[in-house]
Amino acid sequence: MTNLRERALGLLALEIASDDMGVYPQSISGGEKAYEKRTDWMEGWNACHTALIKKQSKIRKFINKAPERIKDYLLFEKINLSVSGDEIEMFVICNDLFYWGCADGETIEMSDLDDFDQAMKESPNFGPDLWCARKRGMRPQGPFYKSFTSEDAALFDKAGPERTDPCGKKRNK
């Protein structure tokens, strides 16, 4: 389990570093060539830093307005956020849960939170994965079952029909 104090301090370090990052101004030296143009690297740095600050501001606003349970899920890394334009999306990471080598996530809407809470209560260790399985109506791939207690395995079995694909076969029951 993540140490919340260490996580908060790490994020504080990121925030301080971000706030401390300068933007490269044009150089003014006077004379015939008074303005020294920024290099492509400097322009890219400025654009990247500006985009980072904008995303950080949007995320802060979202978190400030979020219900306490969402804040808790974010702190315990049970849900994640993604910024696209002005939209912030909550999602659950389910990489490799259903197929190997698959970077994957399941969007979670505010209307999904009661079902997510229920999955977390039923399976504190695998609640996000259980919620994803239920949302998709699909069992995880077989190798995941090695990590489950018999109670967890029964919950995941109820999430969807038995899989017949090679990834879905249970191994080492």
Side-chain angles (χ1 to χ4, degrees), residues 47-64:
C48 177
H49 183 61
T50 300
L52 176 67
I53 295 303
K54 285 180 180 177
K55 279 189 177 200
Q56 184 180 26
S57 176
K58 289 174 186 176
I59 291 168
R60 278 186 181 182
K61 286 177 185 173
F62 177 88
I63 290 172
N64 288 341

Side-chain angles (χ1 to χ4, degrees), residues 50-102:
T50 300
L52 176 67
I53 295 303
K54 285 180 180 177
K55 279 189 177 200
Q56 184 180 26
S57 176
K58 289 174 186 176
I59 291 168
R60 278 186 181 182
K61 286 177 185 173
F62 177 88
I63 290 172
N64 288 341
K65 292 179 182 177
E68 290 303 311
R69 65 183 173 169
I70 290 177
K71 292 176 185 177
D72 289 342
Y73 287 142
L74 288 167
L75 282 171
F76 284 98
E77 299 177 321
K78 302 300 181 185
I79 62 172
N80 298 279
L81 300 177
S82 176
V83 181
S84 179
D86 288 334
E87 299 296 316
I88 299 214
E89 181 179 86
M90 295 186 297
F91 68 99
V92 176
I93 294 174
C94 53
N95 295 346
D96 301 321
L97 182 63
F98 301 106
Y99 299 100
W100 285 127
C102 182

Side-chain angles (χ1 to χ4, degrees), residues 121-138:
K121 285 178 191 167
E122 292 178 58
S123 180
N125 292 325
F126 299 102
D129 292 336
L130 178 60
W131 177 81
C132 288
R134 287 174 173 169
K135 177 92 173 186
R136 293 185 181 187
M138 184 178 194

Side-chain angles (χ1 to χ4, degrees), residues 34-52:
Y35 294 96
E36 182 181 322
K37 183 157 176 51
R38 290 184 285 251
T39 64
D40 288 343
W41 186 85
M42 291 173 174
E43 290 292 355
W45 179 272
N46 290 348
C48 177
H49 183 61
T50 300
L52 176 67

